Each structure stands twice: as C-alpha cells, then as structure tokens.
Amino acid sequence: MGSSPSKPEFVTVLAEKHVTSGADILLQCEANTEDVTASWQKDSHSLSCVHGKHTVSKRGTTFVLKISNAQESDEGNYTITLSNSSGSASCSAIVRVEIKDWREVQWSKKDLMLKTLKSFKICNEVKELRYLVYGPVGAGKSSTINTIRSIFEGRQFVNCLAAAESTTSHTLCFESYRFANREESFPFIFYDIMGAEAEEDGVQTQDVISALKGHIKEGYTFNPDTPLSKSNLYYNQNPSLSDQMHCLVYVVPAERVSVMEKAFLKKLESVRKTASIMGIPQVVFMTRVDRACPMTKENLRNVYKSKKIRENMRKYSNALGVPVNCIFPVLNYHEETHVNEDINCLMLDALIQIIHFANDYVVKFSKSKSLHQQSHCE
C-alpha cells in the first residue's frame, strides 16, 4: 500500500498587493508538497477565470495567479486552498488597486490660483458674488469660511465660531465674510447661516429661502421658533440682484453621508426646490475627507484617487440632486496650527470652479432682465 501524501502546509503565503491601475498583479505562494489540488477564490466566491485576464499556473511546489491590467473590479480578498487526501490549507491576501486621478488639482500652485481669483472679472451689475453656506450643525460651515480666510491671510484665522460635532449651532446671526490680503480684496462674499438641526431646532427653512432671495439684512438674529416676518426691520422688501445669493453652497460631512440623508434631506428639500426654481447654482463642499478615507488621511493628494470619496460624492449627488461635477471634497483646518499647502490648493481649486458658476448665474439673470425691460419699452 502506498503512503498517504503529506498534509498541505504553506512554506510561503500570499502577500498583500497594492498596485496602480493598469499594472499586473502577481500572487504566489509555496507549499510543502506538489501532491495537491489548488483552487482560487475572490471575496469568498470561486474565482471565475477570464481568458487574457487571469492566468493560473503551478511550478513544482509554487502556485501562481497572475491578473493582467488591474482595474477597480480586481480589488478584493484572494484566497488559495490546497487540498489532498490528507487535508487542506488556505491563505489569503488583500489586493488593492489604486485608480488614477479622475480630477486634476493644481497642487503646489497656490499663488497662481490666488492670482486667478483676484483678477476675475464679474458682471458689471454686481460688485461681489454672494454665496450662502448651508448644512447640518457641525458639518463645517463656519470652519469652511475660516479656512478660506486663512488661505488669503496666509495664517490661521478664526473669525467664525465653529460648532463642535453633535451640538447646537454657534451661528446665531446672519453675517457676511469678505476676503482680502495685503494687496487687495477678492470679488466674493460668503454668508454664514444658522445650522440645520435634525429636530425642530436650528434655522427655519423659510429663513434660508428668504436669505436666498435677498430678503434678510445682515445682522438679523435667527429665531429657531419662527421665521423672519415681513414687518421686521431686518426684512428687505425689494431685494436687487446684488442683494440675493448667486450660489448655494451645501456643506456636508464626508464620513456621515447616510446619517445626513435620513436626518436632513426633508429639511433641505424645499430649499433645494426654491434654488432650482430661481436658477441659483447649487454646489456641495464635502468636508472632513480625512475621516472618510484612510488613504486620503495619509496623503490629501490621494483625494481624487479614493474610491470611498468618489462613492460618497455619488451618494450625496443622489441625495441632494446635485451633479457630481458640482461636488467638491475639501479639508478644513481643524487640528493644524500652521498653513498647509495641500489644504489650501484643494479649497482654492473648488473656489475657482464655483466663482464661474455664480458669475454665469449673474450674467444669465442680467440678460433676462435686460430683455424683459426691452420688451416693455417696445
């Protein structure tokens, strides 16, 4: 009678792989015996080998899986199981595929981007483009304004009092924030508004709509119980194009997309609908990207390589009705004590995009107003 084969054991195991998109992946291990049958799995399912994509081979006691031209779909947990009549043994390895940047950012070109913003020429009918910042408490609305101010000041700047997570809003008044450095000012203003809270507290939806339309004067103190009335001294009866908002900026947390959808989507619905009817561009600043993705936390320049960031951008797109190309992942200053060029460049890249959106709205509104006046004169 022949002796039983040796029970399979691994001399070397599969090693984890981190490759860039388009590269080949080579997974290999070595066993203590040739007398085994090898089977491969991906994510606990039998691996379906595709011709020209997967190559399974055996050289003596070495077992190899080659995956050609790695793509996102090839990412996963790969397992090899060696079996014979004496038993079996398995080992696994994670394969990660780093995708190419799907957006370009002018990293290390802060001065050039600042120059672009300073030299931007807007429609003559308004002197400054107005942005209304709106979102749930603790998402980073005030921190976004502080970050922009820090970029232009060239130092850490804290003027907006930012709310901690899971607290009530620190923003109580309707305030504007202009930006300037030692040379000159920039042609846009950000307006901070009381945060939207999950329950009945927080900013009244009607106040957000009034702010969009230019009815609220600066300095108004928000009342969570009742919206601004038309008889109030802070109510602007006849707002001009210069009084109203030219862009609505939703500020939302990157790591809490599912929570935000459930708690705030209903509150946002009427605001979103009003902005859409008015034709006001709507954009999203998705903050705290370092908390949503370890790869981005390690290096902010990976933000447009991160599948998690892209996935959450798509979720917010569906939840808020904002196209993905109008969603900008950003990182605000919160732990840093010194300026960070990557934080600056990512924010400046977003600002350059949205200044065009707001200006397009002003130009369109001005043209339609001019045509309306001409039709009355004829």
Side-chain angles (χ1 to χ4, degrees):
M1 294 178 64
S3 59
S4 299
S6 300
K7 182 180 178 180
E9 294 179 0
F10 289 99
V11 177
T12 61
V13 296
L14 301 176
E16 291 192 1
K17 299 290 182 179
H18 189 159
V19 301
T20 56
S21 178
D24 291 342
I25 303 168
L26 203 64
L27 294 171
Q28 64 180 35
C29 60
E30 186 178 353
N32 62 332
T33 175
E34 295 183 43
D35 190 15
V36 291
T37 300
S39 61
W40 289 87
Q41 290 185 314
K42 178 192 174 188
D43 296 331
S44 301
H45 297 286
S46 180
L47 178 66
S48 299
C49 291
V50 177
H51 179 70
K53 181 71 175 179
H54 304 97
T55 305
V56 175
S57 62
K58 173 186 175 184
R59 298 191 299 272
T61 58
T62 300
F63 299 83
V64 180
L65 169 64
K66 180 182 178 181
I67 306 171
S68 302
N69 187 25
Q71 302 298 317
E72 283 185 71
S73 57
D74 295 316
E75 190 168 279
N77 186 23
Y78 288 81
T79 302
I80 183 172
T81 300
L82 305 178
S83 306
N84 61 21
S85 58
S86 297
S88 64
S90 299
C91 69
S92 302
I94 297 291
V95 170
R96 301 193 187 280
V97 180
E98 182 179 296
I99 59 177
K100 297 176 182 178
D101 290 304
W102 71 88
R103 280 187 194 169
E104 291 186 8
V105 177
Q106 293 180 308
W107 302 109
S108 304
K109 293 186 178 180
K110 184 191 77 173
D111 292 341
L112 178 61
M113 288 191 279
L114 284 172
K115 183 178 179 181
T116 299
L117 289 170
K118 274 191 287 187
S119 60
F120 190 86
K121 302 299 182 185
I122 63 177
C123 176
N124 291 331
E125 189 165 337
V126 301
K127 294 181 179 179
E128 297 167 304
L129 298 173
R130 296 188 165 205
Y131 296 84
L132 182 65
V133 180
Y134 177 55
V137 172
K141 300 184 306 301
S142 298
S143 294
T144 295
I145 293 173
N146 286 334
T147 297
I148 297 171
R149 189 71 181 267
S150 297
I151 294 170
F152 296 140
E153 292 283 337
R155 62 177 178 84
Q156 285 281 351
F157 195 95
V158 179
N159 195 18
C160 268
L161 187 58
E165 295 174 47
S166 302
T167 68
T168 55
S169 178
H170 277 311
T171 303
L172 302 178
C173 295
F174 188 54
E175 295 184 78
S176 66
Y177 294 88
R178 289 172 170 81
F179 306 99
N181 57 23
R182 295 176 183 177
E183 299 173 14
E184 57 186 311
S185 60
F186 293 80
F188 48 83
I189 316 172
F190 274 64
Y191 282 82
D192 198 14
I193 199 167
M194 193 178 193
E197 298 181 30
E199 304 301 331
E200 296 304 317
D201 296 328
V203 65
Q204 287 276 331
T205 301
Q206 186 54 50
D207 278 345
V208 183
I209 293 172
S210 293
L212 278 176
K213 295 181 176 180
H215 288 302
I216 299 183
K217 296 178 183 179
E218 187 170 354
Y220 168 67
T221 300
F222 295 106
N223 185 341
D225 299 320
T226 182
L228 175 68
S229 67
K230 293 183 179 181
S231 60
N232 194 293
L233 291 174
Y234 284 96
Y235 190 87
N236 182 3
Q237 295 284 351
N238 300 299
S240 66
L241 180 59
S242 296
D243 295 320
Q244 72 173 72
M245 299 300 152
H246 308 127
C247 184
L248 175 59
V249 182
Y250 299 111
V251 176
V252 295
E255 84 282 13
R256 292 168 53 196
V257 55
S258 58
V259 176
M260 202 292 306
E261 285 182 29
K262 294 176 182 178
F264 299 101
L265 194 54
K266 189 174 289 186
K267 276 196 167 188
L268 297 177
E269 180 64 30
S270 56
V271 175
R272 179 179 63 177
K273 190 175 294 184
T274 299
S276 297
I277 292 171
M278 294 176 68
I280 295 176
Q282 301 170 63
V283 302
V284 176
F285 277 13
M286 195 173 79
T287 62
R288 304 207 297 246
V289 292
D290 56 333
R291 300 189 189 185
C293 172
M295 190 169 82
T296 302
K297 182 178 178 64
E298 181 181 330
N299 185 348
L300 188 57
R301 295 194 182 194
N302 288 330
V303 66
Y304 287 126
K305 292 179 181 178
S306 166
K307 289 181 281 293
K308 184 64 176 178
I309 295 298
R310 188 175 62 178
E311 177 188 345
N312 286 2
M313 288 169 65
R314 288 171 174 169
K315 287 181 179 179
Y316 271 125
S317 176
N318 292 330
L320 300 174
V322 176
V324 173
N325 62 1
C326 293
I327 298 178
F328 303 94
V330 296
L331 181 62
N332 291 328
Y333 286 109
H334 56 100
E335 294 179 352
E336 300 79 5
T337 56
H338 299 283
V339 293
N340 179 292
E341 290 301 295
D342 288 345
I343 291 177
N344 292 351
C345 288
L346 191 60
M347 180 62 78
L348 286 170
D349 181 74
L351 290 176
I352 286 174
Q353 301 301 319
I354 70 171
I355 200 170
H356 285 285
F357 297 165
N359 189 61
D360 289 344
Y361 170 75
V362 169
V363 170
K364 180 180 178 181
F365 191 98
S366 299
K367 286 181 178 178
S368 62
K369 182 179 177 182
S370 176
L371 289 172
H372 180 72
Q373 290 174 341
Q374 287 177 18
S375 65
H376 277 277
C377 291
E378 292 174 356

